[in-house]
Amino acid sequence: METYAEEQPKQVDEPTIKYHTHRQTYGWETAWKQDGEISGTIGESKRLEGIRIFLTNQQYAGNVEYQTHVQSFGWEAGWTRNGEVSGTTGLAKRLEAIRIRLTDEMERHYDIY
């Protein structure tokens, strides 16, 4: 009788979303957060002023793009991508909203929320 070893599914590294924020009084976080970890402060009444986001372990072409709504300024004119700063630093303006999207092949294979 022949036996066959069960084939294990090939493990594929999933893309990781990494980000960090600029916080009132403290400035930029020193450690990058990822995949849903909390970025900023909790219970300290400190505003978020800026954000940077990028992807790692990508199997497909594409970018992460983001756009922030800044206190007194409104929505930024364009989309920011791949680790660039969105929002402000040193102007004492809070982030009021953020839009995030994937582009190209990444958009066809993944969702971001």
Side-chain angles (χ1 to χ4, degrees), residues 32-70:
W32 287 83
K33 307 298 183 176
Q34 66 184 44
D35 295 336
E37 292 178 313
I38 293 172
S39 181
T41 63
I42 297 173
E44 296 185 38
S45 299
K46 299 292 183 185
R47 69 182 164 265
L48 295 183
E49 298 177 344
I51 190 166
R52 297 170 63 196
I53 306 172
F54 72 97
L55 294 169
T56 63
N57 298 328
Q58 288 180 246
Q59 303 299 313
Y60 302 101
N63 299 298
V64 60
E65 295 182 337
Y66 41 102
Q67 185 181 46
T68 54
H69 189 280
V70 178

Side-chain angles (χ1 to χ4, degrees), residues 2-95:
E2 290 183 68
T3 60
Y4 297 95
E6 286 186 40
E7 284 189 35
Q8 297 296 320
K10 189 176 183 180
Q11 186 172 356
V12 176
D13 287 334
E14 291 292 323
T16 300
I17 186 100
K18 294 196 175 193
Y19 45 91
H20 74 160
T21 53
H22 188 276
R23 302 145 309 150
Q24 174 186 352
T25 307
Y26 303 131
W28 288 105
E29 289 178 305
T30 54
W32 287 83
K33 307 298 183 176
Q34 66 184 44
D35 295 336
E37 292 178 313
I38 293 172
S39 181
T41 63
I42 297 173
E44 296 185 38
S45 299
K46 299 292 183 185
R47 69 182 164 265
L48 295 183
E49 298 177 344
I51 190 166
R52 297 170 63 196
I53 306 172
F54 72 97
L55 294 169
T56 63
N57 298 328
Q58 288 180 246
Q59 303 299 313
Y60 302 101
N63 299 298
V64 60
E65 295 182 337
Y66 41 102
Q67 185 181 46
T68 54
H69 189 280
V70 178
Q71 175 187 359
S72 303
F73 299 150
W75 286 104
E76 292 182 313
W79 290 83
T80 306
R81 66 171 54 170
N82 300 331
E84 297 171 340
V85 175
S86 183
T88 64
T89 60
L91 298 179
K93 300 292 183 185
R94 71 179 171 267
L95 294 184

